[in-house]
């Protein structure tokens, strides 16, 4: 078979076959010809062409490859960027969106039948809450009057005990008291108005807001906001090309920028996530984030976040965010009480809170508000009748914000110090806690006015010697230790040095009650005779201590009650040395200075120790509460941002003195006000109040003090100069009028200390140290502890003068 296959190859070929064979043979010939000189140029050209092809084609492919890879990388980076932005969106939006400052409230005004309440105080309290006087039927947040009758409709509030609804209460004011209270069927007989908001504890960026839920926002406000800012909000996907086009043509037609193209979602992204930088890059990021936000969350969630985030103005250092706080800041009412024209103004302010600030630029703000009202009319939010009713109304903005940060700086300073014992600073600045305090706004206002007026009077009377005079004071509830008012200087709104807490000054004669209380504990009684004579006491270092009376006179033997009432230094010094300075130190520590190192020296008995007004108040609080140590407190309760109870600060007491000894000391301090160094209180206050008090004057009259209490208030006031210069002021001339004017402005209860069983009233002859009769000379009618009543009783045949000790010694 192989031989047969090879044979036909040698046979003659057909013409076609020969042609193919011939063609194959000619190819080498052409290659040979191409190698001749005449064929050189075409060959070089061909080579050149092929060489050029090799140089051009591969780079093009590499460029396209590079571009493709670059696009892939950029796409990957864009995807990573979008994923990052997506994570930022979800983490922030689903996590803790805002650092909410703690809100601080004063005590609520509680109304009950027979309550002491003046028209001036009621007007002040209602003004503080921004209750509006109306002439028709009151609604929440308003009141009406008819003669002496009042009808008030409260707003309702979430208290510690739970939510209280709005209540209608009616009553009359007769003789400075609430009469005929009708509290809408309240079984307790007490109606509370909501507590005034007095401040906050702010995060580092000083943003302030009151969170609201969407269902708490008036429907008209939502409609107005969408009509003005984003009418396609519920249709677009975060971006609105229709809105951009509409804004463009509207602005062109009006010749000014009247509309913006950003959606509410974009505005939220810009305020919530991005800086204020203006660039195309940032605008692009904003658009991407808006789409992502719209993709992940419901429109209602986005709208609620916007309502709480939107910037509405600046209150000093505080940035006002959200419609909840904006309503309080501009109009002094909660959202639900906003009127149509107020809603229009707040929506209008969003465009430029500084430019349209209604307090600084009322005309500009009015024009903007009317623009919003026109849009509301055009979009069907208002009908023509409603529009006509409101277009000519005033702005309705309150003159000052409902509360100011620096309105009560000294009180808030004290409150923060006490609060930080239980809470981290970070939590106070970010968790939105609701702190209910003991501040009584009327007591605070009364103290501020009394202090500033006294400083002006003294500076006017004494001239340059008192040009730098300062004042500090603290008032409390004498029964509970709740701090109702604090001032830390003459500039009562200044947040700087708080003299009520941090000015440590010699207390002078305010130390003397401690000496007399120590003596009473050791068997002395108010009729015990003391030596008001010069003395010279040699100190351990060899120096001689020789105190003198303020008027540089001695009075011989005087009863203990007179020595305290007249504040005799020599008699007090003799007594302190007799009983021992260590006993005086013990009493001062038990009165409230347990954490204060006290110098165990004789001069301590006359006030040679520097204390702050707060520390002095703590000492006198123990006396006012009948020997029970009661820590001064500024906080009643703390709630979470949602209104859930968190902590309650209960009333704490610890008995440190017997009721009998405190009863006797209180009587001696009442004699100080009736007949002693504090007798000028009768110029302001009724003697029937049976007040107790003590004046204090340090060496060279550098410090003027007064401490005293009634049946319901205790107050301590200090006046002096920061650099410790001498003044012409005694305790009675400087501090006492501030105390008395403050007390006169407050509803007072007479001081009626229950008489202990082991105390009895007896006529005593201090000279003979014996019981006597009322008509006898030198007789004093005094309360004595039964175990100290003299056994001997003497008679007399002469007519006596019951108060001759005071009449003879008082000048």
């Amino acid at each position: 078979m192989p031989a047969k296959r090879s044979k036909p190859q040698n046979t003659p070929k057909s013409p076609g076959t020969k042609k193919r064979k011939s063609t194959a043979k000619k190819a080498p010939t052409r290659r040979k010809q191409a190698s001749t000189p005449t064929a050189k140029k075409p060959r070089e050209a061909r080579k050149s062409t092929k060489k050029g092809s090799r140089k051009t084609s591969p780079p093009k492919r590499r460029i396209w490859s590079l571009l493709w890879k670059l696009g892939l990388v950029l796409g990957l980076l864009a995807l990573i960027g979008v994923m990052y932005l997506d994570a930022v969106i979800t983490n922030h939006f689903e996590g803790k969106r805002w650092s909410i400052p703690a809100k601080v409230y004063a005590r609520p005004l509680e109304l009950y039948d027979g309550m002491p309440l003046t028209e001036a105080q009621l007007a002040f309290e209602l003004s503080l809450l921004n209750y509006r006087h109306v002439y028709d039927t009151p609604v929440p947040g308003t009141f009406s009057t008819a003669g002496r009758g009042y009808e008030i409709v409260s707003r309702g509030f979430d208290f510690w005990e739970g939510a209280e609804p709005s209540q209608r209460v009616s009553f009359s004011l007769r003789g400075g008291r609430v009469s005929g209270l009708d509290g809408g069927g309240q079984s307790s007989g007490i109606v509370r108005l909501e507590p005034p908001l007095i401040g906050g504890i702010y995060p580092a960026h000083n943003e302030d807001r009151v969170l609201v839920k969407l269902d708490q926002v008036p429907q008209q406000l939502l409609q107005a906001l969408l009509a003005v800012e984003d009418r396609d909000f519920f249709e677009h996907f975060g971006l609105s090309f229709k809105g951009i086009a509409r804004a463009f043509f509207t602005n062109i037609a009006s010749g000014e920028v009247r509309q913006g193209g950003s959606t509410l979602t974009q505005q939220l992204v810009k305020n919530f996530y991005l800086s204020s930088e203006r660039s195309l890059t940032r605008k692009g990021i904003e658009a991407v984030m808006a789409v992502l936000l719209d993709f992940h969350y419901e429109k209602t969630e986005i709208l609620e976040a916007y309502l709480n985030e939107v910037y509405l103005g600046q209150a000093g250092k505080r940035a006002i965010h959200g419609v909840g706080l904006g309503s309080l800041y501009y109009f002094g009412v909660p959202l639900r009480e906003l009127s149509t024209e107020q809603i229009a103004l707040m929506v209008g302010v969003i465009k430029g809170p500084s430019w349209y600030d209604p307090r600084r630029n009322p005309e500009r703000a009015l024009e903007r508000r009317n623009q919003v009202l026109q849009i509301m009319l055009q979009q069907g939010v208002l009908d023509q009748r409603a529009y006509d009713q409101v277009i000519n109304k005033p702005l309705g903005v309150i003159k000052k914000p409902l509360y100011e940060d620096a309105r009560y700086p000294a009180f808030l300073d004290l409150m923060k110090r006490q609060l930080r014992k239980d809470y981290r600073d970070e939590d106070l600045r970010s968790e939105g806690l609701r702190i209910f305090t003991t501040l009584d706004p009327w007591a605070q206002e009364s103290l501020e006015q009394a202090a500033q007026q006294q400083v002006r009077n003294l500076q006017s009377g004494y001239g340059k010697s008192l040009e730098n005079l300062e004042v500090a004071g603290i008032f409390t509830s004498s029964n509970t230790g709740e701090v109702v008012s604090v001032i830390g200087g003459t500039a009562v709104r200044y947040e700087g040095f708080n003299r009520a807490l941090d000015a440590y000054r010699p207390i002078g004669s305010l130390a003397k009650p401690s000496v007399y209380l120590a003596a009473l504990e050791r068997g002395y009684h108010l009729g015990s005779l003391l030596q008001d004579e010069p003395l010279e006491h040699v100190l351990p270092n060899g120096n001689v201590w020789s105190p003198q009376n303020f008027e540089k006179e001695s009075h011989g033997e005087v009863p203990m009650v007179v020595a305290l009432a007249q504040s005799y230094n020599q008699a007090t010094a003799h007594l302190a040395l007799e009983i021992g300075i260590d006993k005086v130190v013990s009493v001062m520590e038990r009165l409230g200075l347990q954490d204060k190192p006290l110098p165990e020296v004789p001069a301590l008995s006359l006030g040679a120790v520097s204390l702050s007004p707060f520390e002095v108040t703590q000492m006198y609080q123990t006396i006012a509460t009948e020997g029970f140590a009661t820590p001064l407190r500024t906080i009643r309760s703390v709630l979470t941002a949602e209104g859930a109870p968190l902590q309650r600060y209960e009333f704490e007491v610890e008995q440190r003195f017997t009721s009998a000894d405190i009863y006797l000391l209180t009587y001696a301090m009442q004699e100080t006000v009736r007949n002693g160094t504090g007798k000028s209180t009768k110029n302001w206050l009724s003697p029937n109040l049976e007040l107790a008090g003590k004046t204090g004057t340090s060496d060279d009259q550098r410090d003027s003090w007064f401490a005293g209490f009634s049946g319901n208030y205790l107050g301590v006031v200090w006046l002096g100069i920061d650099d410790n210069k001498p003044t012409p002021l005694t305790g009675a001339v400087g501090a006492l009028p501030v105390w008395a004017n403050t007390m006169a402005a407050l509803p007072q209860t007479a001081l009626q200390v229950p008489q202990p069983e082991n105390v009895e009233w007896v006529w005593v002859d201090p000279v003979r140290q014996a019981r006597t009769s009322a008509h006898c000379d030198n007789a004093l009618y005094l309360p004595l502890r039964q175990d100290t009543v003299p056994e001997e009783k003497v008679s007399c045949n002469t007519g006596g003068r019951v108060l001759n000790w005071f009449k003879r010694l008082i000048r």
Side-chain angles (χ1 to χ4, degrees):
M1 291 295 290
K4 289 181 180 179
R5 287 179 182 167
S6 61
K7 186 176 181 179
Q9 295 176 1
N10 297 325
T11 59
K13 303 291 186 290
S14 63
T17 303
K18 291 179 180 178
K19 187 176 181 180
R20 286 195 294 276
K21 186 176 181 181
S22 173
T23 304
K25 290 180 178 179
K26 288 180 180 178
T29 304
R30 287 197 297 270
R31 284 197 293 273
K32 285 184 178 180
Q33 291 175 350
S35 64
T36 62
T38 55
K40 187 175 183 179
K41 189 172 182 179
R43 184 182 176 185
E44 289 176 353
R46 285 197 299 274
K47 287 183 178 179
S48 176
T49 303
K50 289 182 180 181
K51 189 176 183 180
S53 177
R54 291 191 193 101
K55 287 183 178 179
T56 304
S57 297
K60 284 183 178 180
R61 287 196 297 271
R62 284 198 296 271
I63 290 172
W64 283 110
S65 175
L66 180 63
L67 291 175
W68 185 84
K69 291 178 180 177
L70 182 61
L72 184 63
V73 170
L74 291 176
L76 182 61
L77 290 175
L79 179 61
I80 293 173
V82 170
M83 292 173 65
Y84 170 76
L85 294 178
D86 189 73
V88 170
I89 286 284
T90 54
N91 288 342
H92 197 175
F93 203 82
E94 293 176 3
K96 184 179 177 181
R97 299 179 188 175
W98 298 283
S99 293
I100 308 299
K103 292 292 185 293
V104 183
Y105 297 87
R107 63 94 182 100
L109 179 65
E110 296 182 335
L111 300 170
Y112 55 89
D113 228 6
M115 169 189 176
L117 183 68
T118 64
E119 291 186 0
Q121 180 182 353
L122 179 59
F124 174 82
E125 299 275 0
L126 293 175
S127 173
L128 197 64
L129 292 169
N130 200 40
Y131 272 57
R132 303 181 307 281
H133 185 233
V134 296
Y135 297 95
D136 49 7
T137 303
V139 296
T142 65
F143 69 98
S144 63
T145 58
R148 296 180 179 177
Y150 287 81
E151 185 174 8
I152 302 173
V153 181
S154 69
R155 294 189 174 105
F157 195 80
D158 291 337
F159 291 97
W160 173 273
E161 300 82 2
E164 285 189 5
S166 171
Q167 300 178 57
R168 185 180 300 272
V169 55
S170 60
F171 59 90
S172 298
L173 286 182
R174 299 183 182 277
R177 292 187 177 273
V178 174
S179 173
L181 180 74
D182 182 0
Q186 288 294 306
S187 58
S188 65
I190 298 177
V191 177
R192 290 186 292 190
L193 302 184
E194 66 273 20
L197 183 62
I198 60 172
I201 304 175
Y202 303 102
H205 48 68
N206 279 314
E207 286 187 4
D208 194 8
R209 53 173 53 79
V210 174
L211 292 184
V212 296
K213 295 181 180 179
L214 197 60
D215 58 7
Q216 296 174 318
V217 181
Q219 192 64 27
Q220 192 177 66
L221 174 56
L222 296 176
Q223 293 171 340
L225 176 66
L226 296 178
V228 173
E229 295 292 331
D230 191 356
R231 64 187 66 167
D232 302 318
F233 176 74
F234 286 99
E235 283 74 43
H236 61 63
F237 54 90
L239 301 177
S240 175
F241 298 109
K242 185 192 298 185
I244 293 172
R246 181 171 56 247
F248 175 78
F249 288 113
T250 299
N251 296 338
I252 291 296
S254 64
E256 60 178 341
V257 179
R258 302 191 66 172
Q259 286 187 20
S262 295
T263 64
L264 288 186
T265 313
Q266 287 177 274
Q267 293 180 41
L268 176 60
V269 165
K270 179 177 65 176
N271 295 334
F272 205 49
Y273 298 100
L274 303 176
S275 67
S276 58
E277 174 195 0
R278 293 186 177 185
S279 66
L280 290 176
T281 302
R282 206 218 67 165
K283 196 69 178 174
I285 293 174
E286 175 190 302
V288 172
M289 294 180 79
V291 173
L292 291 171
L293 189 66
D294 191 88
F295 174 78
H296 280 294
Y297 301 102
E298 297 291 336
K299 291 287 187 179
T300 52
E301 293 179 275
I302 296 172
L303 183 56
E304 183 176 283
Y306 178 89
L307 290 165
N308 285 304
E309 172 61 25
V310 63
Y311 174 65
L312 289 170
Q314 197 73 25
K317 295 182 294 184
R318 282 190 304 137
I320 306 300
H321 285 262
V323 295
L325 184 59
S327 179
L328 297 173
Y329 176 68
Y330 285 117
F331 310 111
V333 297
L335 273 176
R336 61 179 176 271
E337 294 182 27
L338 287 180
S339 61
T340 298
E341 66 274 13
Q342 290 171 333
I343 286 173
L345 176 59
M346 191 155 66
V347 170
V349 165
I350 292 173
K351 183 178 179 181
S354 178
W355 183 255
Y356 295 112
D357 187 329
R359 294 189 179 97
R360 292 187 299 170
N361 306 305
E363 294 181 359
R364 195 180 294 159
L366 182 63
E367 181 181 0
R368 174 61 180 162
R369 185 207 69 177
N370 290 345
Q371 287 179 357
V372 172
L373 288 172
Q374 290 171 4
I375 294 173
M376 292 170 69
L377 175 63
Q378 294 166 3
Q379 297 301 312
V381 179
L382 296 178
D383 57 25
Q384 188 64 48
R385 180 180 179 183
Y387 173 83
D388 292 339
Q389 289 176 340
V390 299
I391 189 64
N392 294 317
K393 286 191 174 182
L395 290 172
V397 175
I398 56 177
K399 292 182 180 180
K400 292 184 178 181
L402 190 60
Y403 76 95
E404 305 169 70
D405 294 344
R407 181 160 188 171
Y408 307 120
F411 179 89
L412 291 176
D413 182 19
L414 173 57
M415 180 215 69
K416 290 174 186 176
R417 297 188 196 193
Q418 295 186 343
L419 199 62
R420 287 183 176 122
K421 295 177 182 178
D422 299 316
Y423 296 91
R424 297 185 308 163
D425 191 68
E426 177 186 352
D427 294 335
L428 294 175
R429 296 180 183 276
S430 64
E431 296 298 329
L433 300 180
R434 302 167 66 186
I435 303 163
F436 297 90
T437 73
T438 60
L439 179 81
D440 182 331
W442 180 246
Q444 180 71 30
E445 181 77 7
S446 302
L447 175 57
E448 290 175 1
Q449 291 188 5
Q452 291 181 323
Q453 185 60 52
Q454 173 68 345
V455 169
R456 286 192 294 267
N457 291 344
L458 293 172
Q459 289 175 336
S460 175
Y462 290 96
K464 291 185 177 180
S465 65
L466 294 179
E467 62 182 352
N468 295 317
L469 185 65
E470 283 294 346
V471 60
I474 299 181
F475 277 70
T476 71
S477 165
S478 60
N479 299 310
T480 65
E482 290 189 336
V483 178
V484 298
S485 60
V486 184
I487 58 170
T490 54
V492 295
R493 302 287 178 262
Y494 180 56
E495 293 186 73
F497 183 52
N498 190 346
R499 294 167 185 82
L501 307 182
D502 300 322
Y504 296 92
R505 305 292 295 235
I507 64 173
S509 296
L510 292 189
K512 290 176 181 174
S514 300
V515 178
Y516 290 84
L517 182 54
L520 290 169
E521 286 187 322
R522 279 149 190 83
Y524 287 74
H525 60 73
L526 295 181
S528 297
L529 281 184
L530 304 182
Q531 299 297 317
D532 189 56
E533 298 288 351
L535 78 158
E536 293 184 352
H537 178 77
V538 180
L539 301 172
N541 62 4
N543 292 335
V544 176
W545 182 57
S546 182
Q548 292 183 317
N549 286 330
F550 178 78
E551 68 278 17
K552 303 296 190 296
E553 294 181 5
S554 300
H555 305 92
E557 291 185 327
V558 294
M560 199 164 83
V561 65
V562 176
L564 179 58
Q566 297 298 337
S567 199
Y568 291 147
N569 291 337
Q570 293 176 158
T572 304
H574 276 290
L575 179 61
L577 292 173
E578 287 174 10
I579 62 175
I581 299 301
D582 61 323
K583 305 301 189 298
V584 177
V585 170
S586 174
V587 166
M588 294 182 75
E589 289 176 342
R590 284 184 287 147
L591 283 173
L593 300 179
Q594 291 177 315
D595 299 325
K596 181 83 173 183
L598 299 173
E600 199 167 311
V601 296
L604 176 67
S605 63
L606 303 182
V609 59
S610 294
L611 301 178
S612 68
F614 179 83
E615 290 172 323
V616 173
T617 306
Q618 184 64 77
M619 289 177 60
Y620 277 77
Q621 184 70 46
T622 305
I623 300 173
T625 48
E626 300 174 32
F628 289 84
T630 308
L632 303 183
R633 60 193 178 110
T634 59
I635 310 162
R636 288 183 174 178
S637 60
V638 179
L639 274 62
T640 65
E642 294 75 28
L646 189 61
Q647 184 174 359
R648 194 163 195 170
Y649 289 76
E650 301 290 349
F651 179 56
E652 298 179 8
V653 295
E654 178 189 350
Q655 187 170 8
R656 294 182 180 170
F657 300 91
T658 66
S659 57
D661 291 332
I662 293 295
Y663 182 85
L664 303 178
L665 178 66
T666 302
Y667 172 77
M669 294 173 64
Q670 288 175 308
E671 283 296 334
T672 301
V673 173
R674 279 192 290 260
N675 299 300
T677 56
K679 64 180 180 179
S680 61
T681 56
K682 62 174 63 77
N683 295 333
W684 296 276
L685 296 158
S686 169
N688 295 330
L689 290 175
E690 299 293 341
L691 304 167
K694 185 70 189 77
T695 55
T697 309
S698 66
D699 289 345
D700 298 322
Q701 299 172 241
R702 300 175 192 273
D703 303 275
S704 170
W705 292 89
F706 190 83
F709 52 95
S710 65
N712 55 337
Y713 287 105
L714 161 70
V716 173
V717 177
W718 167 86
L719 273 80
I721 299 174
D722 286 341
D723 62 7
N724 208 31
K725 288 182 179 178
T727 74
L729 307 177
T730 63
V733 173
L736 187 149
V738 177
W739 180 88
N741 273 301
T742 303
M743 295 288 272
L746 301 177
Q748 294 294 332
T749 300
L751 178 58
Q752 297 175 336
V753 183
Q755 182 177 333
E757 292 182 359
N758 62 336
V759 169
E760 61 178 282
W761 286 79
V762 297
W763 286 97
V764 177
D765 182 341
V767 175
R768 299 184 185 184
Q769 284 296 291
R771 288 176 291 149
T772 186
S773 300
H775 62 276
C776 293
D777 196 20
N778 295 325
L780 287 175
Y781 190 55
L782 298 172
L784 272 65
R785 211 172 59 213
Q786 288 177 346
D787 63 332
T788 64
V789 175
E791 294 182 1
E792 182 183 1
K793 183 173 183 180
V794 297
S795 59
C796 61
N797 297 316
T798 58
R801 294 162 294 170
V802 171
L803 294 179
N804 68 340
W805 288 99
F806 291 101
K807 291 183 178 179
R808 175 166 60 89
L809 296 171
I810 294 175
R811 290 172 173 77

